[in-house]
Amino acid sequence: MNAPDFPVSIDDHLAHIDHAFDLMALLDAGGQVLRVNAAAFDILGYAPCEMRGRHVREFVHPDDRAALEAIGLALRDVAACREQELRYLHRDGHVVYLAMSGRWSPDGQVLYATARDVTAHRLAREELAQSRARMNAMLESIGDAFFAVDRDWRVIYANRKAAHFVGVELGAGLGRPLLDVVPALEGTPLLERYRHAMATGLSFVVEAWWAPLATWIEVRAYPTVDGLSVYFHDISEQRQAAEAMRRSEQRFRILFQQAGDSILIVDGTLRVVAVNGRACANFGYAEHEFIGLPVSAIDSGFAYRPGLLDSLRRGETRLLRVVKRRKDGSTFPAEVHVSLFEDGGQEYFQAIVRDLTEREAAERQLRESERRFRELIEMTPSGYVRAGAGGVLLDANPSLCRLSGRTREALIGLPLVELFERLPWDGLEADGDGNTTVRGVEAVLRRADGEPLHVLFNGNVRRDDAGEPLLVTGLMIDISARKRAEDRLQQLATHDTLTGLPNRALLQDSVQRIMDAGAPAGGEGTELAVMFLDLDRFKEVNDSFGHELGDVLLCEVAARLRAVLGADDVIARLGGDEFVVAARCGRERAGALAARLLETLTAPVRVGSQDVIIGASIGIAMYPHDAGTRELLFQAADTAMYRAKSAGRNRLCFFERGMTVATQARMALELALRPALARGEFELHYQPRVDLRTMAVVGLEALLRWNHPRMGRVAPGEFIGIAEETGLIVPIGRWVLGEACRQTRRLVQEHGREVRVSVNVSARQLAQPGFVEDVRAELAASGLAPHCLELELTESALIEDMDRTAAMLGELQGLGVKVAVDDFGTGYSGLAYLRRFPIDVLKLDRSFVLQDDGRISAFDFVKAFVDMAHALRMSVVAEGVETAEVLDFLRAADCDEAQGYLLAQPMPLADVHALLARR
């Protein structure tokens, strides 16, 4: 029997659509809503009539509107889409996730769309993802290595420690059988324990030997419904410590019996409970006779003070001078170290008895030795000081008289506070016995003529219970010459050696201080003018008259600039013929000041036997109008200076916003730099480093080169700064490190000799948390011996975060990697960090070798510098050696190594192979 036909009207279809739970809509070709069902109110809060005639874009979240447009375009091509999830905005403003499906009708030029509310599902997925992320983070943060397998023994999770332990990449073993990931487990008792736990559901804890790493591990396994969870960690150190403790106890028993002194253990009733063999021999008792013997039987009338027990109970060890009695009645002087300890809740005394018969003879010899010591003190070139309570001088030698400019009679009785400007031991902590040891502390001595004298003090301070000095003894040597050299180093670090003007480092600090200080008292605001000044014809003078007269010209320019500027204005020389002026003033005064600078520089300058006129180009940038930071302010002034020079020279130019052509070129270079590493456009060249004693090649400095397919070879100076600023230096530096290690390893293998490769490390690389791990990984991957790698750091990189840097350099030295400071002396040149940081090599900038200032020759200065470095157990490498005279100079100064164009230019790897083969 056929089913009856039930005619369905259009109204029935519409009723069906209106009562549907999913949102259904009809849109025209432009995206206007033609019709929408009642579910729109339930899902989006709009009545159908409110949505009709409005564009669907109005209801979509602004961030998803572009995706909506893309779906609309795609529907024109494929006519249908399914489950496209977008964010919509409910009428009350909250976000609703809808999974939209649609079909385009070319005939009717309309879009049939349905949308299902998936907000709850989406939120559930996100919560699940967050839960998994929290679980993963927890498993990564635990101290143990962890992995889990399912019932089919496939790895379903492993944290980083577990992956590292078995030598696989994190995540590489997921989904694979356990024995495929860790084949070393096959046939081990540990695997059998895993299988037993899985089969029985019983957890276990076991200590096991892991042969691949030759280490002991503690393993805890917990069966679950899904499989097995395993936690483990290395316990080799604990087992070694336990074994060491057992051996220590055994050694203690042996030492107790074989000690050179008599040792007695006495209980609280002062009866002997244990003795060693030496005590039996010294006192003449057999061991069984000694046990139970009262202490009074071996003491010859010694009276124990009431406070002795109290001091022992405070943990003090007391030293007693006692006359001891042997079994035969004879006596001997003894020194007894007495201490108290507890065992099983009972107090026991340990007495270490030393026969002083031989010491008395030694004391007589000591008195003779003290006489000889006095003679030595009188003859030593070091000043000797001995002071008693209250810091009053008790003794002094002729050298102290010479250093202080006083007679011995004037020194005896003089308080130390009058001899020193500050006592060298002030602020130093005392040890447990109340003593303070002073080693290598700098102090200032007051001479009789009032002149200060820098000395290096070594000594000892013995204090009373209140911490006041009871006895001070020490020696001191004159270090005035060294202090002058250090002052000279500081001067060189912050000032130009030719003109005496501040250098870049001091300029940057001065400008930053002005910017940070804000408005002066009573002022309305801080305005700062920075002027970059470049001499227009300096190169012509240099080429015509030579560098020596060029230096004379620069000094004259510096003097003229100083004469124009005020006391509060800052002037610095950046190098070459570039000067910078910083003045706290507004735009009008800045223009007037720059005009006076131009005027003074256009006056003729006598160079040799001839007057020359040089002129200058000045670029001016105003803070805060043109830039808000020091770096941008300098950049703006530099840009304005180049505009002044290109406009005809001998003029000034204020910075304007339109001066961005150079900036655009830089941005283009940055854009080309970003994919350069992925495209393999970098290569390494190497500049050999020579041992100045043997003239053999002992090292190579790795130098980065960029070969762009269109621009050709791009100079490092053009792109290294960009890489630093953008952070690209981190992946590029990692590539340089790995490539240098691999290529150097091949050089060592092929030529059968060790060479050390120096790799420059930027401050941004050093700031990366995983930098030490990167170095360790590259060394392991390349097989290069750690001592064949030297990392070159700048001084500024060292001092950015000194505590963190010191710790990181300590880790690197622990790996065996050498650490060098590049271009020493051109940055901050703080001598303190030479002792604070574990540094192996100082690379001396060429400017220190070439300059004499009349007070100290270049040779004396470099020689002092090299000697200081050697005293700190550092080697010195001179850079930029270009003449034979400089090479001879450095060898005479005991410099260790050198590099420069005289010895070898940077070269590609193939040329390095050829060079090593020839040598």
Side-chain angles (χ1 to χ4, degrees):
M1 181 178 180
N2 294 329
D5 292 331
F6 294 97
V8 180
S9 67
I10 293 177
D11 291 336
D12 293 330
H13 282 296
L14 294 177
H16 174 73
I17 291 172
D18 280 335
H19 289 87
F21 289 103
D22 291 341
L23 188 151
M24 297 183 181
L26 186 66
L27 310 177
D28 66 11
Q32 301 290 331
V33 179
L34 301 177
R35 183 177 177 82
V36 66
N37 67 349
F41 182 80
D42 298 330
I43 296 175
L44 296 177
Y46 292 96
C49 61
E50 293 179 292
M51 296 181 67
R52 191 175 303 117
R54 296 170 66 180
H55 199 285
V56 69
R57 185 188 307 107
E58 298 180 37
F59 307 102
V60 176
H61 190 282
D63 293 344
D64 283 0
R65 287 171 183 170
L68 178 68
E69 296 292 339
I71 293 171
L73 293 175
L75 278 169
R76 303 297 179 88
D77 296 331
V78 298
C81 69
R82 292 182 180 277
E83 298 291 325
Q84 296 293 320
E85 190 172 305
L86 297 177
R87 288 172 292 177
Y88 288 76
L89 294 177
H90 194 274
R91 185 168 188 165
D92 63 7
H94 75 268
V95 175
V96 178
Y97 288 88
L98 298 182
M100 188 191 80
S101 299
R103 183 176 298 276
W104 171 253
S105 173
D107 295 334
Q109 291 292 300
V110 292
L111 173 68
Y112 297 95
T114 61
R116 179 166 48 86
D117 187 352
V118 294
T119 304
H121 181 64
R122 175 64 177 260
L123 295 176
R125 288 206 320 265
E126 292 178 354
E127 176 61 27
L128 179 60
Q130 292 174 2
S131 175
R132 288 177 177 172
R134 288 192 295 270
M135 177 63 72
N136 291 342
M138 180 190 70
L139 292 175
E140 285 295 336
S141 64
I142 62 176
D144 286 356
F146 170 79
F147 71 91
V149 295
D150 60 16
R151 288 286 174 176
D152 295 325
W153 294 96
R154 293 186 179 275
V155 178
I156 58 176
Y157 184 82
N159 67 1
R160 193 176 304 277
K161 292 184 179 66
H164 179 72
F165 189 84
V166 298
V168 300
E169 292 292 331
L170 183 65
L174 295 182
R176 295 169 54 194
L178 178 62
L179 290 180
D180 287 354
V181 179
V182 193
L185 268 175
E186 185 67 62
T188 63
L190 190 56
L191 180 60
E192 294 304 315
R193 295 295 297 267
Y194 289 160
R195 288 172 174 164
H196 183 265
M198 182 82 84
T200 62
L202 299 176
S203 60
F204 69 86
V205 179
V206 67
E207 293 182 3
W209 173 254
W210 183 246
L213 296 182
T215 185
W216 284 93
I217 58 175
E218 181 184 89
V219 182
R220 289 172 287 121
Y222 303 95
T224 66
V225 175
D226 299 323
L228 187 67
S229 297
V230 179
Y231 300 81
F232 63 93
H233 62 273
D234 190 336
I235 60 168
S236 296
E237 291 186 3
Q238 295 95 308
R239 290 181 66 95
Q240 291 170 1
E243 178 64 16
M245 178 66 74
R246 186 189 64 79
R247 293 177 180 175
S248 175
E249 291 176 353
Q250 184 179 15
R251 286 195 297 270
F252 173 77
R253 288 192 294 271
I254 295 173
L255 289 173
F256 180 77
Q257 289 300 329
Q258 298 181 354
D261 294 325
S262 301
I263 303 177
L264 296 83
I265 306 298
V266 180
D267 64 15
T269 65
L270 298 185
R271 290 186 176 274
V272 177
V273 296
V275 293
N276 66 350
R278 177 63 64 180
C280 295
N282 285 349
F283 284 90
Y285 290 98
E287 184 175 358
H288 70 275
E289 294 175 318
F290 236 138
I291 303 304
L293 196 68
V295 172
S296 58
I298 58 173
D299 283 343
S300 182
F302 179 78
Y304 292 94
R305 298 190 303 274
L308 176 61
L309 181 59
D310 293 336
S311 65
L312 292 175
R313 283 175 173 165
R314 290 195 300 270
E316 300 176 6
T317 298
R318 301 303 301 270
L319 178 64
L320 308 177
R321 294 293 293 264
V322 182
V323 175
K324 292 292 184 179
R325 183 187 303 112
R326 300 186 180 91
K327 181 179 179 180
D328 61 7
S330 61
T331 60
F332 62 91
E335 181 180 80
V336 184
H337 286 264
V338 182
S339 60
L340 179 69
F341 66 93
E342 288 190 5
D343 187 12
Q346 300 294 320
E347 289 185 336
Y348 293 91
F349 302 93
Q350 175 181 275
I352 302 175
V353 182
R354 176 167 294 177
D355 189 339
L356 298 182
T357 304
E358 296 180 358
R359 182 185 290 185
E360 290 182 350
E363 287 176 350
R364 289 191 295 271
Q365 296 176 356
L366 179 61
R367 287 191 290 273
E368 176 64 20
S369 175
E370 287 178 348
R371 182 186 64 79
R372 293 194 296 269
F373 169 74
R374 186 66 211 177
E375 294 174 354
L376 180 63
I377 287 296
E378 293 293 323
M379 294 185 293
T380 182
S382 301
Y384 172 72
V385 61
R386 183 169 181 269
V392 176
L393 271 167
L394 303 176
D395 195 6
N397 68 345
S399 293
L400 183 61
C401 297
R402 175 180 53 80
L403 292 174
S404 65
R406 296 177 173 89
T407 64
R408 189 172 187 276
E409 290 72 20
L411 285 172
I412 301 302
L414 184 72
L416 289 177
V417 293
E418 295 185 17
L419 183 62
F420 291 98
E421 288 192 0
R422 187 183 71 84
L423 297 179
W425 52 86
D426 279 357
L428 299 179
E429 295 183 359
D431 60 22
D433 294 328
N435 295 331
T436 299
T437 301
V438 184
R439 291 287 184 269
V441 174
E442 294 183 11
V444 178
L445 203 67
R446 290 195 186 99
R447 288 180 49 83
D449 56 10
E451 289 295 320
L453 181 73
H454 290 274
V455 296
L456 194 67
F457 185 85
N458 291 327
N460 183 269
V461 182
R462 193 169 69 206
R463 302 178 185 271
D464 59 19
D465 293 339
E468 296 298 323
L470 288 175
L471 181 65
V472 178
T473 57
L475 294 169
M476 65 196 79
I477 60 173
D478 184 357
I479 60 168
S480 299
R482 195 188 84 182
K483 291 297 292 184
R484 286 193 295 271
E486 288 181 357
D487 291 343
R488 178 59 180 156
L489 279 173
Q490 182 63 24
Q491 173 73 12
L492 290 171
T494 57
H495 289 76
D496 175 43
T497 56
L498 176 63
T499 63
L501 294 176
N503 63 8
R504 184 187 298 272
L506 185 54
L507 169 70
Q508 290 176 337
D509 289 344
S510 300
V511 170
Q512 193 63 54
R513 281 197 299 271
I514 294 174
M515 296 171 67
D516 294 342
E524 296 181 356
T526 299
E527 281 192 295
L528 174 67
V530 170
M531 308 178 192
F532 269 45
L533 186 151
D534 188 83
L535 302 183
D536 287 337
R537 297 181 180 85
F538 177 72
K539 186 177 186 303
E540 300 172 16
V541 174
N542 240 7
D543 294 341
S544 302
F545 298 97
H547 292 285
E548 184 175 347
L549 292 180
D551 290 347
V552 172
L553 174 61
L554 291 173
C555 291
E556 174 63 20
V557 169
R560 292 189 181 188
L561 295 178
R562 283 197 195 97
V564 173
L565 297 172
D568 295 332
D569 298 332
V570 179
I571 176 175
R573 179 183 176 224
L574 298 187
D577 59 347
E578 292 185 329
F579 296 83
V580 177
V581 172
R584 192 196 294 266
C585 63
R587 184 183 181 91
E588 183 177 351
R589 179 177 177 264
L593 178 60
R596 292 203 303 274
L597 293 175
L598 285 178
E599 180 181 359
T600 191
L601 293 179
T602 53
V605 179
R606 173 67 68 173
V607 177
S609 59
Q610 182 176 337
D611 287 341
V612 297
I613 297 177
I614 53 172
S617 299
I618 301 179
I620 310 171
M622 301 299 300
Y623 170 83
H625 179 266
D626 295 329
T629 66
R630 182 187 65 195
E631 290 75 14
L632 292 178
L633 190 64
F634 284 5
Q635 180 181 338
D638 193 35
T639 300
M641 184 269 291
Y642 278 107
R643 176 60 62 89
K645 188 174 287 289
S646 64
R649 303 190 176 188
N650 195 34
R651 63 187 63 208
L652 62 91
C653 180
F654 280 92
F655 176 76
E656 297 176 1
R657 296 297 179 184
M659 299 176 182
T660 57
V661 176
T663 303
Q664 292 173 355
R666 181 192 177 282
M667 291 176 64
L669 194 62
E670 178 184 336
L671 192 62
L673 181 62
R674 290 189 177 276
L677 183 60
R679 293 175 179 173
E681 296 173 3
F682 293 119
E683 67 171 324
L684 292 185
H685 284 201
Y686 297 90
Q687 184 171 30
R689 209 161 83 187
V690 173
D691 187 320
L692 291 180
R693 290 177 291 275
T694 65
M695 297 308 291
V697 175
V698 294
L700 303 166
E701 181 175 3
L703 302 170
L704 183 62
R705 296 293 183 262
W706 180 17
N707 300 311
H708 191 271
R710 294 192 313 277
M711 294 183 288
R713 176 66 60 83
V714 182
E718 295 182 33
F719 71 88
I720 291 296
I722 297 175
E724 287 274 5
E725 294 174 17
T726 59
L728 293 173
I729 196 67
V730 175
I732 292 174
R734 190 181 299 117
W735 177 86
V736 171
L737 175 64
E739 193 72 4
C741 289
R742 287 187 291 274
Q743 292 182 355
T744 304
R745 173 59 176 164
R746 288 196 292 271
L747 285 172
V748 172
Q749 287 180 321
E750 181 172 329
H751 298 282
R753 54 176 292 187
E754 284 193 347
V755 290
R756 184 165 66 250
V757 64
S758 298
V759 178
N760 290 280
V761 176
S762 73
R764 293 195 69 151
Q765 286 179 264
L766 200 64
Q768 297 300 306
F771 178 70
V772 175
E773 290 304 318
D774 287 345
V775 174
R776 181 184 285 111
E778 295 297 349
L779 287 171
S782 65
L784 182 67
H787 66 270
C788 289
L789 175 61
E790 178 179 288
L791 300 179
E792 292 190 15
L793 314 173
T794 62
E795 296 174 54
S796 58
L798 286 175
I799 65 173
E800 280 194 1
D801 186 345
M802 297 184 71
D803 293 335
R804 180 182 175 278
T805 302
M808 183 178 295
L809 295 188
E811 291 185 61
L812 290 171
Q813 251 195 2
L815 294 178
V817 173
K818 303 296 182 183
V819 177
V821 177
D822 194 13
D823 294 333
F824 179 80
T826 61
Y828 294 89
S829 298
L831 296 178
Y833 71 68
L834 294 182
R835 294 178 63 110
R836 179 168 183 177
F837 297 125
I839 299 170
D840 304 293
V841 180
L842 292 180
K843 299 196 77 175
L844 184 63
D845 188 72
R846 67 191 300 269
S847 61
F848 289 100
V849 178
L850 302 177
Q851 296 290 346
D852 283 344
D853 64 357
R855 292 186 297 165
I856 179 171
S857 70
F859 175 81
D860 291 336
F861 179 75
V862 172
K863 177 63 176 170
F865 176 82
V866 171
D867 289 344
M868 180 188 69
H870 287 171
L872 295 174
R873 298 183 180 178
M874 303 176 189
S875 60
V876 180
V877 178
E879 299 180 292
V881 178
E882 298 179 1
T883 66
E885 291 79 8
V886 171
L887 183 65
D888 293 339
F889 168 92
L890 292 170
R891 297 179 73 177
D894 292 331
C895 187
D896 301 291
E897 300 175 18
Q899 65 185 78
Y901 276 32
L902 175 68
L903 302 168
Q905 296 187 16
M907 60 187 68
L909 181 63
D911 292 351
V912 177
H913 278 286
L915 175 66
L916 295 180
R918 288 197 304 271
R919 298 206 174 189

